Amino acid sequence: MSQYAKIKTTIKDENCLIESLLELFQLNDKGSIEVYDAPENLYDYMGKIRPQKANIIIRHKTVGPASNDMGFLRNPDGTFTLIVDNYSQSSLKYGFKWQGKLLQKYAEKLLLKEQKKRNRATTVTKVKSGILLDIAV
């Protein structure tokens, strides 16, 4: 049975997290990511229930065929903890590099949201090494 890693993040904005996950997993449908007010159990790749729980869940079919579900548990301080099985973290693409991409994508989404609230024009340009944000102040 795979062990799960719990990785504390600084992520607080649920919508920006979901938008980031949709892009990273290349999903078109928000329904592919399950969101719960109260944490729900994760399942392993064989469909057996696990004791780990999360508020935002990406099911194993999306994560990878031999992976367990991946999730994000909302902490009392409003941040999220990433819950990912060790196999997916080490053998697949969901290790530190992917986690860094998630944080980068999240920061982009959060910045764009904040600039929109301030009625500032923002242009996103994708470049080989990442993205450039041009913000009109």
Side-chain angles (χ1 to χ4, degrees):
M1 188 180 303
S2 279
Q3 296 295 316
Y4 274 86
K6 293 182 179 181
I7 301 159
K8 180 99 165 110
T9 73
T10 56
I11 294 172
K12 284 188 169 187
D13 189 296
E14 183 177 287
N15 290 328
C16 290
L17 172 57
I18 292 168
E19 288 177 24
S20 301
L21 290 169
L22 287 169
E23 278 192 40
L24 288 174
F25 281 103
Q26 299 176 342
L27 301 170
N28 297 324
D29 180 17
K30 270 192 173 177
S32 301
I33 296 175
E34 300 172 20
V35 181
Y36 301 97
D37 290 330
E40 294 284 327
N41 286 88
L42 301 178
Y43 289 83
D44 69 15
Y45 70 99
M46 295 178 65
K48 293 181 184 174
I49 196 166
R50 297 296 308 248
Q52 293 81 7
K53 293 185 177 193
N55 298 89
I56 298 173
I57 299 174
I58 304 99
R59 295 295 177 192
H60 76 277
K61 291 177 184 173
T62 301
V63 178
S67 297
N68 296 340
D69 292 349
M70 176 189 297
F72 289 84
L73 178 66
R74 184 178 294 281
N75 300 308
D77 67 357
T79 62
F80 285 94
T81 295
L82 168 61
I83 302 171
V84 59
D85 69 282
N86 290 342
Y87 171 77
S88 297
Q89 189 175 16
S90 61
S91 301
L92 291 176
K93 55 187 174 185
Y94 304 109
F96 294 121
K97 188 175 180 180
W98 181 85
Q99 293 165 29
K101 287 180 182 178
L102 173 63
L103 290 176
Q104 181 181 12
K105 186 59 67 180
Y106 172 78
E108 173 192 334
K109 300 291 181 192
L110 190 60
L111 180 62
L112 290 171
K113 179 179 178 179
E114 289 301 316
Q115 296 310 310
K116 185 176 181 180
K117 276 200 302 195
R118 295 178 180 156
N119 292 319
R120 292 184 179 158
T122 308
T123 305
V124 177
T125 306
K126 303 212 183 264
V127 294
K128 190 174 184 177
S129 61
I131 62 160
L132 295 174
L133 294 174
D134 183 21
I135 301 168
V137 182

